[in-house]
Amino acid sequence: MRLVDKWQRVLLHSHSMRAQFLGLIALWVPEILFALIGYDAVAPQVWFALGQVLILYGMIGRMVKQPKVSG
């Protein structure tokens, strides 16, 4: 397996990777909040909707012309 050139730059500058990172945060935050306070502070439907928005952002972000970030 070979990584793309300048993979660190791709991680930081591509829309699809940003969506992936935000998606992980959207999965972890409700679990962390529940562990800390013992109940769901925000309705699960909100996190589900946020996840859907992030998936759409990632899909659209793959089609958006971006400055060349890899070699």
Side-chain angles (χ1 to χ4, degrees), residues 16-66:
S16 57
M17 286 307 300
R18 289 178 188 166
Q20 296 289 329
F21 292 137
L22 292 172
L24 282 175
I25 291 169
L27 283 174
W28 293 339
V29 166
E31 299 300 325
I32 292 169
L33 286 175
F34 186 82
L36 291 175
I37 60 178
Y39 61 91
D40 287 327
V42 179
Q45 294 86 348
V46 173
W47 297 109
F48 180 77
L50 178 61
Q52 289 181 336
V53 168
L54 290 170
I55 289 170
L56 289 172
Y57 167 53
M59 294 167 79
I60 294 168
R62 288 292 293 170
M63 294 182 283
V64 172
K65 184 166 178 64
Q66 299 175 71

